[in-house]
Amino acid sequence: MSAPPEILLAHHLKQLKLPTILREYDKVAALCAAEGLDHVRYLMRLVEMELIDRERRMVERRIRDAHFSAVKSLDTFDFTAIPSVNKMMVLELARCEFVTRRENVIALGNSGTGKTHTALALGLAACQRGCSVSFYTAAGLVHALMEAKDERRLLKLQAQLQNVKLLIIDELGYVPLSRTGAELLFDVFSQRHERGSTIVTSNLPFDEWTSVLGSERLTGALLDRLTHHVNILEFNGDSYRLKHSKARRHAAAPKAEPEAAIETAIDPETGEILEP
Ligand code: ADP
Ligand code: MG
């Protein structure tokens, strides 16, 4: 006795990786019958559903693979809070043509001004537009490189870093790097040069990058590559977190605390508001 056709069909659809058609074919058949649609339109509707779902699954997969520290978009970014940032440039970058052109982006400015938020939003936009993305903090990337070196899998990690369409390196500047660390980071920039796009965020102006990378020669060579095709975003302004927390505190307590008391409650290293 042969298996019922539903079982065989389910098996084949699984093998063909068409989970949406498998899930929906019965329901959609009933709908199409009720609407009097022929078999071609029925099939078309199912295939379209599979395509839409597949695109959504691929975006989700790219977002998972990117290892973003948080998922943020430009929809929640208030450009009026940071007038120094060129909004038109950010919106243009969110179209992700810079990734196709293999250009870099550097976001510079004080802590808490929205650099990471913007980098995450550009990363998300790139995932949605079909580009592979990897997100690291500078310290995290250097740690991963050193660990890979110790475990003799540096070449594999370097190949991955070289092949990703958009690499985001957040927070260059908070932690000074060891000599090996700086050299490994330099190699990443060198290997990606004109092969893929890189976004770097930093609290330090270029002339202070030597303090992180150690050597002036290395810093010069790194900046040379990074700024060859570059879009620079300047985040000059007050910390959004700080302003926000002031606003919250003012709202909570109409007789506001002196601002100096609030300012001292900020971690000078990370810009995080320290809980009282
Ligand atoms: P930075 O990386 O420059 O230190 P972040 O991007 O981490 O700053 O911003 C600090 C916090 O404030 C984050 O939660 C971020 O989402 C929020 N934030 C900063 N700027 C804005 C803005 N212009 N609009 C909305 N949220 C913002
Ligand atoms: Mg940041």
Side-chain angles (χ1 to χ4, degrees), residues 111-112 114-117 170-171 174 201 241 270:
S111 175
K115 301 181 298 297
T116 300
H117 188 135
D170 195 28
E171 296 186 352
Y174 284 116
T201 82
R241 269 187 293 239
T270 64

Side-chain angles (χ1 to χ4, degrees), residues 72-82 85 107-120 170-171 174 201-203 235 238-244 270-272:
K72 294 197 180 180
S73 79
L74 288 179
D75 297 345
T76 57
F77 193 77
D78 175 10
F79 282 95
T80 63
I82 184 88
V85 170
L108 297 176
N110 310 336
S111 175
T113 49
K115 301 181 298 297
T116 300
H117 188 135
T118 305
L120 287 167
D170 195 28
E171 296 186 352
Y174 284 116
T201 82
S202 179
N203 58 324
F235 290 72
D238 295 333
S239 162
Y240 186 88
R241 269 187 293 239
L242 172 57
K243 266 194 289 191
H244 220 66
T270 64
E272 292 288 343

Side-chain angles (χ1 to χ4, degrees), residues 79 82-91 93 232-234:
F79 282 95
I82 184 88
S84 74
V85 170
N86 183 341
K87 177 177 175 181
M88 289 313 290
M89 190 195 266
V90 176
L91 296 182
L93 290 171
I232 296 180
L233 295 169
E234 303 220 30

